[in-house]
Amino acid sequence: TALGLGLEGGLRQGFEATFLSLAAGTFIYVALVDILRDELLEPGSRLTLFGLVSLGAGLMGLLAIWV
């Protein structure tokens, strides 16, 4: 019926949004914990690294709002 199709479409979008957010969270975790940890242990300017990571996150946020 039309009601069943409508409910199924809404559930599918909900599941898709849930799994996409889990995938995005996994990528953020890997980037912050695994990759940046190794970068912070090397000698150099941590302030520069923090500034560039913050700039990249801000640009991605603006891109997400714009799109």
PDB file of all heavy atoms in Angstrom, residues 27-61:
ATOM      1  N   PHE A  27      36.002   7.954  10.313  1.00  0.00           N
ATOM      2  CA  PHE A  27      37.090   8.638   9.616  1.00  0.00           C
ATOM      3  C   PHE A  27      37.701   9.739  10.476  1.00  0.00           C
ATOM      4  O   PHE A  27      38.920   9.917  10.507  1.00  0.00           O
ATOM      5  CB  PHE A  27      36.612   9.219   8.286  1.00  0.00           C
ATOM      6  CG  PHE A  27      36.441   8.180   7.217  1.00  0.00           C
ATOM      7  CD1 PHE A  27      35.240   8.050   6.556  1.00  0.00           C
ATOM      8  CD2 PHE A  27      37.486   7.345   6.858  1.00  0.00           C
ATOM      9  CE1 PHE A  27      35.073   7.098   5.569  1.00  0.00           C
ATOM     10  CE2 PHE A  27      37.337   6.393   5.874  1.00  0.00           C
ATOM     11  CZ  PHE A  27      36.127   6.266   5.229  1.00  0.00           C
ATOM     12  N   ILE A  28      36.876  10.489  11.192  1.00  0.00           N
ATOM     13  CA  ILE A  28      37.384  11.542  12.065  1.00  0.00           C
ATOM     14  C   ILE A  28      38.218  10.935  13.190  1.00  0.00           C
ATOM     15  O   ILE A  28      39.295  11.428  13.524  1.00  0.00           O
ATOM     16  CB  ILE A  28      36.226  12.391  12.625  1.00  0.00           C
ATOM     17  CG1 ILE A  28      35.604  13.201  11.497  1.00  0.00           C
ATOM     18  CG2 ILE A  28      36.697  13.300  13.750  1.00  0.00           C
ATOM     19  CD1 ILE A  28      34.322  13.895  11.886  1.00  0.00           C
ATOM     20  N   TYR A  29      37.751   9.824  13.759  1.00  0.00           N
ATOM     21  CA  TYR A  29      38.494   9.156  14.822  1.00  0.00           C
ATOM     22  C   TYR A  29      39.863   8.697  14.323  1.00  0.00           C
ATOM     23  O   TYR A  29      40.882   8.904  14.987  1.00  0.00           O
ATOM     24  CB  TYR A  29      37.694   7.966  15.344  1.00  0.00           C
ATOM     25  CG  TYR A  29      38.470   7.130  16.336  1.00  0.00           C
ATOM     26  CD1 TYR A  29      38.573   7.530  17.660  1.00  0.00           C
ATOM     27  CD2 TYR A  29      39.105   5.953  15.951  1.00  0.00           C
ATOM     28  CE1 TYR A  29      39.287   6.785  18.581  1.00  0.00           C
ATOM     29  CE2 TYR A  29      39.822   5.200  16.855  1.00  0.00           C
ATOM     30  CZ  TYR A  29      39.907   5.613  18.164  1.00  0.00           C
ATOM     31  OH  TYR A  29      40.623   4.882  19.055  1.00  0.00           O
ATOM     32  N   VAL A  30      39.894   8.064  13.165  1.00  0.00           N
ATOM     33  CA  VAL A  30      41.162   7.581  12.618  1.00  0.00           C
ATOM     34  C   VAL A  30      42.106   8.747  12.369  1.00  0.00           C
ATOM     35  O   VAL A  30      43.299   8.677  12.697  1.00  0.00           O
ATOM     36  CB  VAL A  30      40.924   6.768  11.326  1.00  0.00           C
ATOM     37  CG1 VAL A  30      42.207   6.518  10.578  1.00  0.00           C
ATOM     38  CG2 VAL A  30      40.244   5.456  11.651  1.00  0.00           C
ATOM     39  N   ALA A  31      41.601   9.828  11.831  1.00  0.00           N
ATOM     40  CA  ALA A  31      42.454  10.982  11.543  1.00  0.00           C
ATOM     41  C   ALA A  31      43.006  11.597  12.825  1.00  0.00           C
ATOM     42  O   ALA A  31      44.195  11.896  12.918  1.00  0.00           O
ATOM     43  CB  ALA A  31      41.681  12.026  10.756  1.00  0.00           C
ATOM     44  N   LEU A  32      42.175  11.767  13.820  1.00  0.00           N
ATOM     45  CA  LEU A  32      42.617  12.450  15.033  1.00  0.00           C
ATOM     46  C   LEU A  32      43.469  11.568  15.935  1.00  0.00           C
ATOM     47  O   LEU A  32      44.459  12.026  16.487  1.00  0.00           O
ATOM     48  CB  LEU A  32      41.412  12.974  15.811  1.00  0.00           C
ATOM     49  CG  LEU A  32      40.654  14.119  15.145  1.00  0.00           C
ATOM     50  CD1 LEU A  32      39.457  14.509  15.994  1.00  0.00           C
ATOM     51  CD2 LEU A  32      41.552  15.304  14.922  1.00  0.00           C
ATOM     52  N   VAL A  33      43.109  10.316  16.089  1.00  0.00           N
ATOM     53  CA  VAL A  33      43.798   9.466  17.041  1.00  0.00           C
ATOM     54  C   VAL A  33      45.029   8.806  16.432  1.00  0.00           C
ATOM     55  O   VAL A  33      46.107   8.834  17.019  1.00  0.00           O
ATOM     56  CB  VAL A  33      42.835   8.410  17.614  1.00  0.00           C
ATOM     57  CG1 VAL A  33      43.564   7.412  18.485  1.00  0.00           C
ATOM     58  CG2 VAL A  33      41.744   9.093  18.414  1.00  0.00           C
ATOM     59  N   ASP A  34      44.896   8.220  15.276  1.00  0.00           N
ATOM     60  CA  ASP A  34      46.010   7.466  14.704  1.00  0.00           C
ATOM     61  C   ASP A  34      47.023   8.347  13.976  1.00  0.00           C
ATOM     62  O   ASP A  34      48.225   8.214  14.194  1.00  0.00           O
ATOM     63  CB  ASP A  34      45.491   6.400  13.736  1.00  0.00           C
ATOM     64  CG  ASP A  34      44.798   5.262  14.459  1.00  0.00           C
ATOM     65  OD1 ASP A  34      45.036   5.126  15.670  1.00  0.00           O
ATOM     66  OD2 ASP A  34      44.045   4.515  13.816  1.00  0.00           O
ATOM     67  N   ILE A  35      46.564   9.233  13.143  1.00  0.00           N
ATOM     68  CA  ILE A  35      47.482   9.998  12.308  1.00  0.00           C
ATOM     69  C   ILE A  35      48.072  11.183  13.059  1.00  0.00           C
ATOM     70  O   ILE A  35      49.289  11.375  13.085  1.00  0.00           O
ATOM     71  CB  ILE A  35      46.774  10.452  11.017  1.00  0.00           C
ATOM     72  CG1 ILE A  35      46.366   9.218  10.203  1.00  0.00           C
ATOM     73  CG2 ILE A  35      47.665  11.360  10.192  1.00  0.00           C
ATOM     74  CD1 ILE A  35      45.483   9.513   9.028  1.00  0.00           C
ATOM     75  N   LEU A  36      47.238  11.987  13.698  1.00  0.00           N
ATOM     76  CA  LEU A  36      47.749  13.178  14.390  1.00  0.00           C
ATOM     77  C   LEU A  36      48.606  12.827  15.598  1.00  0.00           C
ATOM     78  O   LEU A  36      49.525  13.564  15.944  1.00  0.00           O
ATOM     79  CB  LEU A  36      46.601  14.092  14.799  1.00  0.00           C
ATOM     80  CG  LEU A  36      45.988  14.896  13.668  1.00  0.00           C
ATOM     81  CD1 LEU A  36      44.873  15.773  14.203  1.00  0.00           C
ATOM     82  CD2 LEU A  36      47.027  15.744  12.978  1.00  0.00           C
ATOM     83  N   ARG A  37      48.341  11.706  16.235  1.00  0.00           N
ATOM     84  CA  ARG A  37      49.170  11.284  17.363  1.00  0.00           C
ATOM     85  C   ARG A  37      50.615  11.098  16.907  1.00  0.00           C
ATOM     86  O   ARG A  37      51.549  11.551  17.559  1.00  0.00           O
ATOM     87  CB  ARG A  37      48.638   9.994  17.950  1.00  0.00           C
ATOM     88  CG  ARG A  37      49.475   9.469  19.107  1.00  0.00           C
ATOM     89  CD  ARG A  37      49.071   8.098  19.468  1.00  0.00           C
ATOM     90  NE  ARG A  37      49.106   7.294  18.237  1.00  0.00           N
ATOM     91  CZ  ARG A  37      48.863   6.005  18.201  1.00  0.00           C
ATOM     92  NH1 ARG A  37      48.535   5.376  19.287  1.00  0.00           N
ATOM     93  NH2 ARG A  37      48.911   5.342  17.070  1.00  0.00           N
ATOM     94  N   ASP A  38      50.800  10.444  15.767  1.00  0.00           N
ATOM     95  CA  ASP A  38      52.152  10.250  15.245  1.00  0.00           C
ATOM     96  C   ASP A  38      52.797  11.576  14.859  1.00  0.00           C
ATOM     97  O   ASP A  38      53.997  11.762  15.046  1.00  0.00           O
ATOM     98  CB  ASP A  38      52.122   9.314  14.039  1.00  0.00           C
ATOM     99  CG  ASP A  38      51.658   7.917  14.414  1.00  0.00           C
ATOM    100  OD1 ASP A  38      51.788   7.556  15.603  1.00  0.00           O
ATOM    101  OD2 ASP A  38      51.165   7.195  13.523  1.00  0.00           O
ATOM    102  N   GLU A  39      52.011  12.478  14.317  1.00  0.00           N
ATOM    103  CA  GLU A  39      52.548  13.781  13.912  1.00  0.00           C
ATOM    104  C   GLU A  39      52.945  14.627  15.116  1.00  0.00           C
ATOM    105  O   GLU A  39      53.926  15.361  15.079  1.00  0.00           O
ATOM    106  CB  GLU A  39      51.535  14.534  13.069  1.00  0.00           C
ATOM    107  CG  GLU A  39      51.262  13.901  11.717  1.00  0.00           C
ATOM    108  CD  GLU A  39      52.462  13.928  10.805  1.00  0.00           C
ATOM    109  OE1 GLU A  39      53.240  14.889  10.861  1.00  0.00           O
ATOM    110  OE2 GLU A  39      52.632  12.965  10.037  1.00  0.00           O
ATOM    111  N   LEU A  40      52.198  14.529  16.197  1.00  0.00           N
ATOM    112  CA  LEU A  40      52.496  15.328  17.380  1.00  0.00           C
ATOM    113  C   LEU A  40      53.736  14.827  18.118  1.00  0.00           C
ATOM    114  O   LEU A  40      54.348  15.569  18.874  1.00  0.00           O
ATOM    115  CB  LEU A  40      51.297  15.361  18.321  1.00  0.00           C
ATOM    116  CG  LEU A  40      50.133  16.218  17.866  1.00  0.00           C
ATOM    117  CD1 LEU A  40      48.940  16.038  18.795  1.00  0.00           C
ATOM    118  CD2 LEU A  40      50.521  17.676  17.791  1.00  0.00           C
ATOM    119  N   LEU A  41      54.108  13.570  17.928  1.00  0.00           N
ATOM    120  CA  LEU A  41      55.293  13.034  18.590  1.00  0.00           C
ATOM    121  C   LEU A  41      56.584  13.488  17.924  1.00  0.00           C
ATOM    122  O   LEU A  41      57.641  13.457  18.545  1.00  0.00           O
ATOM    123  CB  LEU A  41      55.229  11.505  18.609  1.00  0.00           C
ATOM    124  CG  LEU A  41      54.138  10.909  19.502  1.00  0.00           C
ATOM    125  CD1 LEU A  41      54.124   9.393  19.375  1.00  0.00           C
ATOM    126  CD2 LEU A  41      54.322  11.319  20.943  1.00  0.00           C
ATOM    127  N   GLU A  42      56.514  13.907  16.665  1.00  0.00           N
ATOM    128  CA  GLU A  42      57.705  14.375  15.965  1.00  0.00           C
ATOM    129  C   GLU A  42      58.047  15.794  16.420  1.00  0.00           C
ATOM    130  O   GLU A  42      57.167  16.571  16.770  1.00  0.00           O
ATOM    131  CB  GLU A  42      57.467  14.363  14.457  1.00  0.00           C
ATOM    132  CG  GLU A  42      57.281  12.977  13.875  1.00  0.00           C
ATOM    133  CD  GLU A  42      57.071  12.993  12.383  1.00  0.00           C
ATOM    134  OE1 GLU A  42      57.185  14.071  11.770  1.00  0.00           O
ATOM    135  OE2 GLU A  42      56.787  11.937  11.827  1.00  0.00           O
ATOM    136  N   PRO A  43      59.344  16.125  16.407  1.00  0.00           N
ATOM    137  CA  PRO A  43      59.717  17.491  16.797  1.00  0.00           C
ATOM    138  C   PRO A  43      59.224  18.494  15.755  1.00  0.00           C
ATOM    139  O   PRO A  43      59.163  18.211  14.567  1.00  0.00           O
ATOM    140  CB  PRO A  43      61.244  17.449  16.842  1.00  0.00           C
ATOM    141  CG  PRO A  43      61.629  16.277  16.022  1.00  0.00           C
ATOM    142  CD  PRO A  43      60.498  15.304  16.093  1.00  0.00           C
ATOM    143  N   GLY A  44      58.858  19.654  16.213  1.00  0.00           N
ATOM    144  CA  GLY A  44      58.355  20.688  15.322  1.00  0.00           C
ATOM    145  C   GLY A  44      57.356  21.561  16.053  1.00  0.00           C
ATOM    146  O   GLY A  44      57.141  21.425  17.250  1.00  0.00           O
ATOM    147  N   SER A  45      56.739  22.418  15.308  1.00  0.00           N
ATOM    148  CA  SER A  45      55.806  23.357  15.907  1.00  0.00           C
ATOM    149  C   SER A  45      54.411  22.744  16.004  1.00  0.00           C
ATOM    150  O   SER A  45      53.740  22.526  14.994  1.00  0.00           O
ATOM    151  CB  SER A  45      55.754  24.637  15.072  1.00  0.00           C
ATOM    152  OG  SER A  45      54.789  25.507  15.596  1.00  0.00           O
ATOM    153  N   ARG A  46      53.992  22.461  17.218  1.00  0.00           N
ATOM    154  CA  ARG A  46      52.648  21.921  17.427  1.00  0.00           C
ATOM    155  C   ARG A  46      51.589  22.988  17.180  1.00  0.00           C
ATOM    156  O   ARG A  46      50.475  22.673  16.780  1.00  0.00           O
ATOM    157  CB  ARG A  46      52.509  21.381  18.839  1.00  0.00           C
ATOM    158  CG  ARG A  46      53.320  20.139  19.074  1.00  0.00           C
ATOM    159  CD  ARG A  46      53.114  19.596  20.450  1.00  0.00           C
ATOM    160  NE  ARG A  46      53.908  18.390  20.600  1.00  0.00           N
ATOM    161  CZ  ARG A  46      54.032  17.753  21.726  1.00  0.00           C
ATOM    162  NH1 ARG A  46      53.429  18.188  22.810  1.00  0.00           N
ATOM    163  NH2 ARG A  46      54.763  16.670  21.794  1.00  0.00           N
ATOM    164  N   LEU A  47      51.943  24.224  17.405  1.00  0.00           N
ATOM    165  CA  LEU A  47      50.999  25.314  17.180  1.00  0.00           C
ATOM    166  C   LEU A  47      50.658  25.426  15.697  1.00  0.00           C
ATOM    167  O   LEU A  47      49.488  25.621  15.337  1.00  0.00           O
ATOM    168  CB  LEU A  47      51.566  26.632  17.709  1.00  0.00           C
ATOM    169  CG  LEU A  47      50.651  27.848  17.625  1.00  0.00           C
ATOM    170  CD1 LEU A  47      49.382  27.608  18.438  1.00  0.00           C
ATOM    171  CD2 LEU A  47      51.372  29.078  18.121  1.00  0.00           C
ATOM    172  N   THR A  48      51.664  25.274  14.836  1.00  0.00           N
ATOM    173  CA  THR A  48      51.419  25.313  13.393  1.00  0.00           C
ATOM    174  C   THR A  48      50.521  24.164  12.971  1.00  0.00           C
ATOM    175  O   THR A  48      49.576  24.340  12.197  1.00  0.00           O
ATOM    176  CB  THR A  48      52.744  25.255  12.615  1.00  0.00           C
ATOM    177  OG1 THR A  48      53.574  26.328  13.040  1.00  0.00           O
ATOM    178  CG2 THR A  48      52.510  25.340  11.131  1.00  0.00           C
ATOM    179  N   LEU A  49      50.805  22.952  13.487  1.00  0.00           N
ATOM    180  CA  LEU A  49      49.988  21.783  13.161  1.00  0.00           C
ATOM    181  C   LEU A  49      48.549  21.991  13.624  1.00  0.00           C
ATOM    182  O   LEU A  49      47.606  21.724  12.874  1.00  0.00           O
ATOM    183  CB  LEU A  49      50.576  20.534  13.805  1.00  0.00           C
ATOM    184  CG  LEU A  49      49.803  19.242  13.583  1.00  0.00           C
ATOM    185  CD1 LEU A  49      49.793  18.870  12.105  1.00  0.00           C
ATOM    186  CD2 LEU A  49      50.378  18.123  14.412  1.00  0.00           C
ATOM    187  N   PHE A  50      48.389  22.481  14.848  1.00  0.00           N
ATOM    188  CA  PHE A  50      47.040  22.730  15.362  1.00  0.00           C
ATOM    189  C   PHE A  50      46.315  23.768  14.513  1.00  0.00           C
ATOM    190  O   PHE A  50      45.127  23.608  14.201  1.00  0.00           O
ATOM    191  CB  PHE A  50      47.109  23.200  16.817  1.00  0.00           C
ATOM    192  CG  PHE A  50      45.769  23.517  17.400  1.00  0.00           C
ATOM    193  CD1 PHE A  50      44.904  22.504  17.768  1.00  0.00           C
ATOM    194  CD2 PHE A  50      45.367  24.833  17.566  1.00  0.00           C
ATOM    195  CE1 PHE A  50      43.658  22.797  18.293  1.00  0.00           C
ATOM    196  CE2 PHE A  50      44.123  25.132  18.096  1.00  0.00           C
ATOM    197  CZ  PHE A  50      43.272  24.110  18.464  1.00  0.00           C
ATOM    198  N   GLY A  51      47.012  24.821  14.120  1.00  0.00           N
ATOM    199  CA  GLY A  51      46.392  25.853  13.292  1.00  0.00           C
ATOM    200  C   GLY A  51      45.962  25.334  11.933  1.00  0.00           C
ATOM    201  O   GLY A  51      44.872  25.647  11.458  1.00  0.00           O
ATOM    202  N   LEU A  52      46.801  24.508  11.326  1.00  0.00           N
ATOM    203  CA  LEU A  52      46.452  23.968  10.006  1.00  0.00           C
ATOM    204  C   LEU A  52      45.307  22.961  10.087  1.00  0.00           C
ATOM    205  O   LEU A  52      44.432  22.932   9.212  1.00  0.00           O
ATOM    206  CB  LEU A  52      47.682  23.334   9.363  1.00  0.00           C
ATOM    207  CG  LEU A  52      48.769  24.316   8.940  1.00  0.00           C
ATOM    208  CD1 LEU A  52      50.006  23.574   8.458  1.00  0.00           C
ATOM    209  CD2 LEU A  52      48.259  25.266   7.873  1.00  0.00           C
ATOM    210  N   VAL A  53      45.288  22.148  11.131  1.00  0.00           N
ATOM    211  CA  VAL A  53      44.174  21.202  11.311  1.00  0.00           C
ATOM    212  C   VAL A  53      42.882  21.970  11.560  1.00  0.00           C
ATOM    213  O   VAL A  53      41.828  21.635  11.004  1.00  0.00           O
ATOM    214  CB  VAL A  53      44.478  20.217  12.464  1.00  0.00           C
ATOM    215  CG1 VAL A  53      43.242  19.425  12.843  1.00  0.00           C
ATOM    216  CG2 VAL A  53      45.607  19.285  12.073  1.00  0.00           C
ATOM    217  N   SER A  54      42.952  23.009  12.375  1.00  0.00           N
ATOM    218  CA  SER A  54      41.761  23.831  12.640  1.00  0.00           C
ATOM    219  C   SER A  54      41.281  24.534  11.375  1.00  0.00           C
ATOM    220  O   SER A  54      40.072  24.609  11.121  1.00  0.00           O
ATOM    221  CB  SER A  54      42.058  24.861  13.723  1.00  0.00           C
ATOM    222  OG  SER A  54      42.399  24.230  14.915  1.00  0.00           O
ATOM    223  N   LEU A  55      42.210  25.039  10.575  1.00  0.00           N
ATOM    224  CA  LEU A  55      41.848  25.684   9.321  1.00  0.00           C
ATOM    225  C   LEU A  55      41.166  24.694   8.375  1.00  0.00           C
ATOM    226  O   LEU A  55      40.138  25.007   7.769  1.00  0.00           O
ATOM    227  CB  LEU A  55      43.089  26.284   8.655  1.00  0.00           C
ATOM    228  CG  LEU A  55      42.876  26.933   7.293  1.00  0.00           C
ATOM    229  CD1 LEU A  55      42.012  28.181   7.428  1.00  0.00           C
ATOM    230  CD2 LEU A  55      44.211  27.256   6.652  1.00  0.00           C
ATOM    231  N   GLY A  56      41.716  23.501   8.276  1.00  0.00           N
ATOM    232  CA  GLY A  56      41.115  22.476   7.416  1.00  0.00           C
ATOM    233  C   GLY A  56      39.723  22.085   7.872  1.00  0.00           C
ATOM    234  O   GLY A  56      38.805  21.931   7.061  1.00  0.00           O
ATOM    235  N   ALA A  57      39.550  21.914   9.188  1.00  0.00           N
ATOM    236  CA  ALA A  57      38.229  21.567   9.713  1.00  0.00           C
ATOM    237  C   ALA A  57      37.233  22.703   9.473  1.00  0.00           C
ATOM    238  O   ALA A  57      36.073  22.464   9.121  1.00  0.00           O
ATOM    239  CB  ALA A  57      38.320  21.252  11.199  1.00  0.00           C
ATOM    240  N   GLY A  58      37.692  23.935   9.637  1.00  0.00           N
ATOM    241  CA  GLY A  58      36.810  25.082   9.387  1.00  0.00           C
ATOM    242  C   GLY A  58      36.406  25.187   7.922  1.00  0.00           C
ATOM    243  O   GLY A  58      35.239  25.459   7.617  1.00  0.00           O
ATOM    244  N   LEU A  59      37.358  24.946   7.028  1.00  0.00           N
ATOM    245  CA  LEU A  59      37.024  24.987   5.589  1.00  0.00           C
ATOM    246  C   LEU A  59      36.053  23.881   5.208  1.00  0.00           C
ATOM    247  O   LEU A  59      35.142  24.101   4.406  1.00  0.00           O
ATOM    248  CB  LEU A  59      38.310  24.904   4.755  1.00  0.00           C
ATOM    249  CG  LEU A  59      39.193  26.134   4.797  1.00  0.00           C
ATOM    250  CD1 LEU A  59      40.505  25.855   4.046  1.00  0.00           C
ATOM    251  CD2 LEU A  59      38.478  27.341   4.211  1.00  0.00           C
ATOM    252  N   MET A  60      36.233  22.695   5.772  1.00  0.00           N
ATOM    253  CA  MET A  60      35.295  21.591   5.500  1.00  0.00           C
ATOM    254  C   MET A  60      33.910  21.910   6.050  1.00  0.00           C
ATOM    255  O   MET A  60      32.898  21.575   5.440  1.00  0.00           O
ATOM    256  CB  MET A  60      35.824  20.277   6.076  1.00  0.00           C
ATOM    257  CG  MET A  60      37.021  19.721   5.380  1.00  0.00           C
ATOM    258  SD  MET A  60      36.671  19.281   3.670  1.00  0.00           S
ATOM    259  CE  MET A  60      37.628  20.494   2.796  1.00  0.00           C
ATOM    260  N   GLY A  61      33.883  22.572   7.207  1.00  0.00           N
ATOM    261  CA  GLY A  61      32.588  22.976   7.779  1.00  0.00           C
ATOM    262  C   GLY A  61      31.885  24.005   6.895  1.00  0.00           C
ATOM    263  O   GLY A  61      30.672  23.915   6.668  1.00  0.00           O
TER     264      GLY A  61
END
